[in-house]
Amino acid sequence: EALVKLRAHLKTKPDDLTGWLLLARSEVGLGRYRDGAEAYARAAELSSNRPDIAAEWGEAQVLAAGSVTPAAAKAFEAGLQDKASAPKSRYYLALAKLEQGDRRGALRDWAALAADSPPDAAWQPLLRQRIAEVAKAEGVDPATITPSAAPAPAATAGDAAAQPRSAE
């Protein structure tokens, strides 16, 4: 019922950024990723592609498509400009490399993200899991992976909102 009211509100006030963000987060939270991605697209447009919103939009696109699409990658590139959303963007851009067959590039980027992040960052377990899985598939010891140069500033321990969700 609340979403019905929110959608009705947005029909009369289509420039309500806060409303679009609320709708987007609600849709994604309910597992309606395509609807969430559409709402995030509108929010990104209204915010002049604000980096934190772009990163969320990219993630919703990945969850909807099951892979990092070119449009999602573009959103993640914008997300690199914001310290809080940079870890999420970096994670998914590395996933895009993996999906394109560049396993070593993905490993290097994930290793860089792990090295740049606090040891207690909420996304560290997911990173360690991904690194271990891909390293095993490549037949390399995860400890021997040389991190890529970081494309964005390191995250802080309070950046849990930037934690990527598993797209699988």
Side-chain angles (χ1 to χ4, degrees):
E1 184 179 322
L3 285 180
V4 170
K5 288 180 182 179
L6 181 55
R7 284 188 197 101
H9 166 77
L10 290 171
K11 284 184 181 181
T12 62
K13 301 222 187 239
D15 294 336
D16 180 359
L17 175 59
T18 302
W20 284 106
L21 288 171
L22 181 58
L23 179 62
R25 291 177 182 133
S26 297
E27 295 289 15
V28 168
L30 292 170
R32 296 193 292 233
Y33 304 124
R34 289 192 200 295
D35 293 337
E38 289 174 15
Y40 272 124
R42 180 68 179 138
E45 178 185 335
L46 287 171
S47 72
S48 298
N49 213 28
R50 206 171 78 191
D52 59 323
I53 296 172
E56 293 297 322
W57 177 30
E59 184 174 52
Q61 291 176 72
V62 170
L63 294 170
S67 66
V68 182
T69 64
K74 186 175 179 182
F76 292 127
E77 290 290 339
L80 290 174
Q81 304 307 310
D82 175 63
K83 184 177 180 179
S85 62
K88 179 180 291 194
S89 294
R90 290 173 65 187
Y91 171 83
Y92 282 113
L93 289 169
L95 180 61
K97 284 184 179 181
L98 178 68
E99 291 173 353
Q100 295 164 2
D102 183 5
R103 289 181 176 180
R104 299 279 174 130
L107 280 171
R108 285 189 301 271
D109 290 356
W110 281 331
L113 177 56
D116 293 343
S117 299
D120 62 345
W123 54 86
Q124 285 283 18
L126 177 61
L127 273 176
R128 285 192 294 272
Q129 176 188 345
R130 286 295 185 147
I131 291 168
E133 290 170 354
V134 177
K136 182 178 178 182
E138 280 293 290
V140 298
D141 178 355
T144 65
I145 299 165
T146 304
S148 300
T156 63
D159 293 338
Q163 179 180 357
R165 299 176 193 181
S166 179
E168 296 177 353

